[in-house]
Every structure is written in C-alpha cells, then in structure tokens.
Amino acid sequence: MTLLQVTMYFFLGRFLEYKELGIYAIFQLVFRLAVALFEPGMYVAVIQKHELSSKVFQMLGRIQNWLALAGTVILLLFFLLEGNYYRENPYIVLLSLFLFTMIAFGSRYPALLTRSFQQRVISLSQIVSSSFEFLCVLIFIWHFDPVFIFALAFCLRFLVFYLLCFYFSENYSISNREDVEDKKSLRYASYQVLNQGVSFVQGNFDSVLVTAIFGLRMLGPYNFASEISYLLFSKINPIFNKASFPVLARHKDEPILRQQLVSGTLLSHALITLSFYVLLYFNLDLIVPLVFKDPEGLILQFSKFICVMAMIRSVNNIVFSQLLALGESAYLLRWNLAVLFFNYLFIAVIYFLKADINQFLIINIFVSFSVLLISLKK
C-alpha cells in the first residue's frame, strides 16, 4: 500500500510541473474537505454508539445526504464565482465535485465494517482500490493530460473502495431496537461533523495563505512537500485510530482501564512516530530529488519545515481521536473554534507584514506545538 502511494508520488513528481502540481493540489483540497466532513461524518455514531437502532442509522444517513448536497452546491458556486480555475480546468472541477459527493454517500459502508471490527476487510479493500488506481495511471498517463488522469484515477480508486465495502458490509446490519435515544446519537454525530469541518478550515489555513500570497505555482511544491511529509502520518495514525477508537469508546466509563488504554496508545504512537520521522527528516535530501522534479529546490526546502510540523500534528491527531472516542465532541468543537480564530488572525498578521514563506513555516511549527501541549493537558 505504501509502496503504491510512493510510486504515485513519483509519477506525480515526474509528470507535473509546479503550476500543474498546484492545480492538482486544489483537487486534493476538495478531497480532504470531503474526508474531514464525511469520513465517517455523521456515521461516527455508528462506530462510537454501540446501542444504535436502524431508525437512527437512517436519520444519520439523511442528514449526511443533505449536507453532501449543500456542500456540493457551495463548492460549485465557489468555483463559478472564482472563475479562472473553472475555466482552465473544468474537468478537474467536475471530478472533484463527484469525489466529494461519492465520499459522503459511500462512507456508511466502511463505518459499518469498523463497527463490526472488520478492519482487515477495510485494509484489503484499500489495497485493491489503490492497485486499480495505479494501473489506470500506468496505462493512460502516456496518452492523455496527466492532471486529468491523476484526478480520474483517484476518483475511480474510491469508487472501487466503496463498492467493495458495500459488498462486504451486506453481512452486517444495525438492529431494529426502539429503546435507543435518538437525540443523543444525533447530537454527538452533529458535533463531530461541525468539529471536523472547523478542524479542516483551521488545519488548511496554510494552504489558504500560500495560495493567496504566492499563487498556484507556489502552492504546488508546498502541497507535495506536505504530501511526502504527512505520508507517515497517513499510514501510522489510521492504524492506531481504527484499533483504539472502538475499544476506548466501549470502555469510556471505566476510569482505570480507560487511562491505561489512553496512556499505552499515546506512548506507543509517540515512540513509533518519533523514530520514523527522525529517519525521514535526515533522508529528505535523498528522497525528494528521487521522487520529484524540483529544479528550484522548493519541495525540499518546504519539506524540512513541514516534516517537523507533521510529526507534531500526528501526535495531536491521536489525542483528538481519543477525546472523540470518550465523547468529548462538544469540547473539541469549542477548542477548534478557538484555534480557528487564532490561525486566521495569524494569516492576517503574516499577510500584512509580508513575511516570507520560511518565516511563516517556522512560526507555524510553534503554533502546532502549542496546540499539542494544550490538548495533552486536557
């Protein structure tokens, strides 16, 4: 799986120039928004709430579907009003909207599998779908526009993944119990979606700043410096989250066992994350030129800062996931709103002071570390 992803980065780096990387970065930004809002989105209650009825499950689905529709309309209006990106890349816009909608409708199936502790099935589905994506790129990249092929193959990957999850989840269903409190599950899931939406906005403020001040040409190398730096994050954290979230949610009312689970998970994650990120940092000079065309050295320059930031945010992500498993979605929403305000105040300061991107990255590392310390205190 990781080998496939690194190979895809290699193809992206070899076929796309800086501006094309920026075009693809906007597509991936829409993807990350969809994952933040809808994976699992309202269906987080399916995983966290062990007493759940089919009626509540249907209500969660209806709310998620309406959110998906509203989000798609808002994104389309944004692209139409902005104008330039849509005129130059109409097919990329349409594919990004298709991907956004598909994730919203498809996320129920991996949620059902996660609820039933079928993480192995999910992992196998991810491997098959990623292999299909790679095969599509390998066949068509030589004959068509590379940006379009990368975006199309990415969409097909998730289509295959959700179809597989749909097939395997047919064996697992929600009970028809009527003694389950609807409002509690809906309130918890709603807080989660709001929290994830705010987290996305505050977590991607750097992309907003880079695009606003430096343009797509700078966003491209910045985004793919982030991709290579967050690769470990994307591999390590889901393993810990998927393994610990259902167990911690089940034992959240047992203080001693809960504390043991939290401490053990944090310690194991910190040791693994620190080891791999130190190894990555000291090998960036070898990895970046191997994967990307980087004539001006921008991707390597950004990677050295973002690698440190990714390590810090990796630990912070685990802390937030554990708080969510313990039912602290309301607290997380308040905290993310506070961080959101601070981050965009930070953007205003950087913008008006005309600070360079290196200064921005250094300050951003300290901001991420401060957020981690306060989260750990909670």
Side-chain angles (χ1 to χ4, degrees):
M1 187 74 174
T2 303
L3 181 60
L4 280 173
Q5 191 168 357
V6 171
T7 306
M8 287 297 298
Y9 286 152
F10 176 81
F11 274 91
L12 284 164
R14 294 300 169 183
F15 278 89
L16 303 185
E17 303 294 337
Y18 282 159
K19 185 176 181 181
E20 291 173 319
L21 288 172
I23 293 168
Y24 190 69
I26 298 296
F27 170 81
Q28 288 210 314
L29 201 61
V30 175
F31 160 68
R32 288 199 291 268
L33 173 61
V35 170
L37 291 176
F38 303 127
E39 187 59 80
M42 294 297 293
Y43 297 114
V44 69
V46 175
I47 302 170
Q48 205 268 351
K49 302 295 181 183
H50 294 280
E51 295 181 352
L52 194 74
S53 68
S54 57
K55 177 186 173 183
V56 174
F57 182 68
Q58 291 170 2
M59 293 173 68
L60 294 170
R62 284 197 295 271
I63 295 172
Q64 177 124 322
N65 294 343
W66 279 110
L67 288 173
L69 179 61
T72 303
V73 171
I74 291 170
L75 283 172
L76 179 59
L77 288 174
F78 169 79
F79 282 121
L80 290 174
L81 291 172
E82 191 275 337
N84 290 332
Y85 187 89
Y86 179 77
R87 282 193 299 270
E88 294 176 7
N89 312 282
Y91 295 114
I92 305 300
V93 171
L94 292 176
L95 286 172
S96 66
L97 295 177
F98 170 70
L99 180 63
F100 183 86
T101 307
M102 178 171 54
I103 290 173
F105 282 91
S107 62
R108 69 176 64 196
Y109 306 115
L112 282 170
L113 291 171
T114 302
R115 176 185 175 87
S116 304
F117 296 96
Q118 296 299 311
Q119 284 84 354
R120 182 172 176 272
V121 173
I122 295 174
S123 297
L124 288 173
S125 300
Q126 288 174 332
I127 292 171
V128 172
S129 59
S130 295
S131 300
F132 183 77
E133 176 195 17
F134 175 70
L135 186 62
C136 290
V137 170
L138 193 62
I139 294 172
F140 297 110
I141 193 69
W142 318 97
H143 309 291
F144 300 96
D145 175 22
V147 179
F148 173 74
I149 292 301
F150 283 124
L152 178 62
F154 198 81
C155 289
L156 291 175
R157 165 187 161 187
F158 277 86
L159 180 61
V160 171
F161 171 70
Y162 286 127
L163 286 173
L164 288 171
C165 287
F166 166 73
Y167 174 77
F168 289 114
S169 66
E170 286 293 282
N171 298 321
Y172 305 97
S173 60
I174 303 296
S175 67
N176 292 316
R177 295 178 55 179
E178 299 297 333
D179 59 338
V180 179
E181 186 180 350
D182 297 352
K183 292 183 179 180
K184 189 174 182 181
S185 296
L186 293 173
R187 185 170 59 248
Y188 170 79
S190 300
Y191 273 129
Q192 160 68 356
V193 172
L194 284 170
N195 181 53
Q196 288 296 97
V198 173
S199 293
F200 172 83
V201 175
Q202 63 99 341
N204 288 273
F205 77 100
D206 50 350
S207 297
V208 174
L209 186 144
V210 171
T211 306
I213 298 179
F214 304 105
L216 282 178
R217 189 179 180 280
M218 195 65 73
L219 176 64
Y222 180 87
N223 181 71
F224 281 89
S226 299
E227 289 290 331
I228 201 167
S229 299
Y230 281 93
L231 178 61
L232 291 174
F233 183 131
S234 69
K235 298 304 172 187
I236 296 172
N237 280 49
I239 294 172
F240 277 88
N241 285 334
K242 288 177 182 177
S244 65
F245 190 102
V247 178
L248 191 56
R250 179 164 293 180
H251 298 288
K252 62 186 177 68
D253 296 322
E254 303 173 42
I256 297 177
L257 182 56
R258 180 186 65 195
Q259 187 58 44
Q260 290 174 345
L261 289 169
V262 169
S263 301
T265 302
L266 286 176
L267 179 60
S268 300
H269 178 268
L271 290 173
I272 293 172
T273 301
L274 183 61
S275 301
F276 277 110
Y277 266 108
V278 168
L279 186 64
L280 174 64
Y281 184 86
F282 287 104
N283 286 280
L284 284 172
D285 291 328
L286 174 65
I287 295 171
V288 172
L290 183 65
V291 177
F292 296 100
K293 284 190 300 185
D294 192 22
E296 299 176 30
L298 293 176
I299 297 176
L300 178 59
Q301 174 188 339
F302 297 156
S303 295
K304 292 188 174 181
F305 292 103
I306 299 173
C307 186
V308 178
M309 198 186 321
M311 180 180 66
I312 295 169
R313 289 184 176 179
S314 177
V315 179
N316 200 34
N317 174 263
I318 289 290
V319 175
F320 272 42
S321 178
Q322 293 190 334
L323 288 171
L324 184 62
L326 296 173
E328 295 287 350
S329 54
Y331 166 78
L332 287 176
L333 177 58
R334 293 193 298 271
W335 171 236
N336 276 322
L337 286 170
V339 175
L340 173 66
F341 173 78
F342 179 79
N343 280 345
Y344 281 85
L345 180 63
F346 173 54
I347 283 182
V349 171
I350 295 292
Y351 182 81
F352 287 112
L353 291 179
K354 302 298 181 185
D356 64 41
I357 197 164
N358 288 335
Q359 292 172 325
F360 161 71
L361 288 168
I362 291 170
I363 297 171
N364 207 6
I365 289 172
F366 284 104
V367 170
S368 299
F369 188 66
S370 300
V371 170
L372 173 60
L373 290 179
I374 297 172
S375 301
L376 285 172
K377 184 179 180 181
K378 173 61 181 179

